Amino acid sequence: VAAVSVDIAVLLFQQAGLLTGGTVGLAFLLHYLMGWPMAWVVFLLNVPFYLFAWRAMGVVFTVKTFLCVGLLSLYTALLPQLIVVQSIDRLFAAVMGGFLIGVGLLMIIRHQASLGGLGVMALYLQNTRRWPAGKVQMAADFLILLAGLFIRDPLSVALSIVGAFALNLVLAANHKAGRYLGT
């Protein structure tokens, strides 16, 4: 369910020409720049992080993360064939996409996993250096969205920031310290 929630958001963002943060945001940048399929880019960008996660976060966390990313990649390939979006309000896509990613991430974090990549790094830095994972992730997301200015138009980036705000609003309102892995 978590991967489907995130993937519906990815579909909304893709149809609206938006992007997000994290490893999925990096995949969006490569997709828009090179035209590579999102599903493969999401999966391949995470490959180097699996070894790191194995050593830093343990086998169970890594296997769960691998499954989450695998499902995310699979659904990213399948959903556009199952759901055809003929028209979408871009602001709606940004807000609802952000909410859906936030809800999906809450479910994934609750089950002691991640969507890989930058999330793994943020959790690791929180556990080892006491750097708040949310702030590390927010800084990385800011850089990804900033890079979007070189690939997407300013309105698309501004709407993507709205989506990031919606995502973080869900996390801030629902993620409580000590309740989940990495806090």
Side-chain angles (χ1 to χ4, degrees), residues 42-112:
V42 167
F43 188 79
L44 292 174
L45 278 176
N46 278 290
V47 169
F49 292 99
Y50 296 132
L51 282 174
F52 176 77
W54 189 288
R55 289 184 178 162
M57 305 299 285
V59 174
V60 173
F61 177 89
T62 304
V63 169
K64 288 179 182 181
T65 296
F66 179 82
L67 291 173
C68 286
V69 173
L71 287 172
L72 179 70
S73 297
L74 177 66
Y75 294 150
T76 298
L78 293 178
L79 277 184
Q81 298 170 29
L82 301 173
I83 301 171
V84 177
V85 178
Q86 293 183 2
S87 174
I88 190 162
D89 180 87
R90 297 177 80 205
L91 179 59
F92 172 83
V95 172
M96 292 311 297
F99 285 163
L100 286 169
I101 292 174
V103 169
L105 283 175
L106 283 172
M107 287 186 265
I108 289 167
I109 292 167
R110 173 67 180 94
H111 292 283
Q112 301 180 353

Side-chain angles (χ1 to χ4, degrees), residues 76-174:
T76 298
L78 293 178
L79 277 184
Q81 298 170 29
L82 301 173
I83 301 171
V84 177
V85 178
Q86 293 183 2
S87 174
I88 190 162
D89 180 87
R90 297 177 80 205
L91 179 59
F92 172 83
V95 172
M96 292 311 297
F99 285 163
L100 286 169
I101 292 174
V103 169
L105 283 175
L106 283 172
M107 287 186 265
I108 289 167
I109 292 167
R110 173 67 180 94
H111 292 283
Q112 301 180 353
S114 82
L115 284 178
L118 301 175
V120 172
M121 292 299 297
L123 289 172
Y124 172 76
L125 290 171
Q126 179 171 286
N127 290 339
T128 60
R129 298 218 169 42
R130 298 285 181 213
W131 294 4
K135 290 180 181 178
V136 170
Q137 188 70 51
M138 190 183 322
D141 292 351
F142 173 78
L143 293 174
I144 291 165
L145 293 173
L146 185 64
L149 286 171
F150 296 100
I151 296 170
R152 305 299 299 164
D153 61 284
L155 178 58
S156 294
V157 175
L159 289 168
S160 298
I161 291 169
V162 169
F165 180 78
L167 183 163
N168 283 288
L169 186 64
V170 170
L171 293 179
N174 295 287

